[in-house]
Amino acid sequence: MSEIAAVHLAGLLQIRTHRRVDGLMDGGATNVRQDVCMSMRPYVILSVAASVDGYIDDSNPERLYLSNEADFDRVDEVRAGVDAVLIGANTVRRDNPRLRIRSQDRRDRRVAAGRPEIPLKVTISSKGDLDPASKFFGTEDVEKLVYVPTSAKSAAGERLGEVATVVGAGDPLDLRSVLTDLSSRGVGRLMVEGGGHIHTMFLTAELVDEIHLAVAPFFVGDSTAPRLVVDAKFPQDFRNRMHLDEVQQIGDIALLRYLLKEPSDA
């Protein structure tokens, strides 16, 4: 059983530590924290832009921008409405994103509502071998969480403990335990923003509630480039079709909003 699962089963009202290296049961100075978990996991929105042929980037070193300004603003609005944003370690390395909310008005509204100015930043890494100077770990006053296999927690904590909370999530890393821990930290809505391996992990584990797919009006045509997903056996196949809940034109972008279950089944 992972550390996260053990803590969850012990109850969400617990004596918590605020140490940077957080196995959820670490020692050190303690503070009383009451965690009220309304569900076993957050509501998960998978948000992605892809070319017509299903690529989320090309093979060039520079980032490929698939969306237009109006769609970037839409994403900003969705991001402003969630409690945490999760990306994979490869996306941290390749895109070096800040994961900020661009609109000052949206940031102000979050603060007025008693929420952090920007959502929690979350990443998943097999080793925790990320650059602590990455923009992901910027100086914004918001918690950064790095989930790693429990066996990698010590080394990852030594590397990243000054800039993030490192959490051991089982061996191998258990995605459901990650979501349970996020829920215990008050995350009710989670936005997953890539990359392809992370999309695949969430979809094959049936841990996505809706997909926001922005289709860019061009082809990439490069088999070495990152795709929306990687090869896997998906529950959402031709026998289990997703529900297309919304289609929206945003300039030259087509936004498709899929629900993973029919509304009556949710």
Side-chain angles (χ1 to χ4, degrees), residues 86-89 122-126 146-147 173 175 178 198 201-202:
L86 184 150
I87 58 174
V122 184
T123 189
I124 293 174
S125 174
S126 61
V146 180
Y147 290 94
L173 184 143
L175 198 55
V178 170
I198 292 293
M201 286 174 60
F202 272 85

Side-chain angles (χ1 to χ4, degrees), residues 72-147:
F72 283 131
D73 186 65
R74 175 196 61 82
V75 172
D76 197 62
E77 182 176 11
V78 176
R79 189 181 285 174
V82 302
D83 303 301
V85 178
L86 184 150
I87 58 174
N90 285 337
T91 302
V92 174
R93 298 186 190 99
R94 184 180 179 94
D95 294 346
N96 197 23
R98 292 186 183 275
L99 297 183
R100 299 193 67 191
I101 295 174
R102 300 165 68 188
S103 165
Q104 183 63 52
D105 178 64
R106 289 171 184 143
R107 294 197 298 271
D108 291 344
R109 279 189 274 129
R110 284 180 60 93
V111 172
R115 306 171 73 188
E117 188 177 52
I118 62 174
L120 296 179
K121 298 181 182 183
V122 184
T123 189
I124 293 174
S125 174
S126 61
K127 298 179 181 178
D129 53 346
L130 296 167
D131 183 354
S134 298
K135 293 177 182 178
F136 177 90
F137 301 111
T139 57
E140 296 92 347
D141 187 20
V142 65
E143 189 171 13
K144 296 92 177 174
L145 300 171
V146 180
Y147 290 94

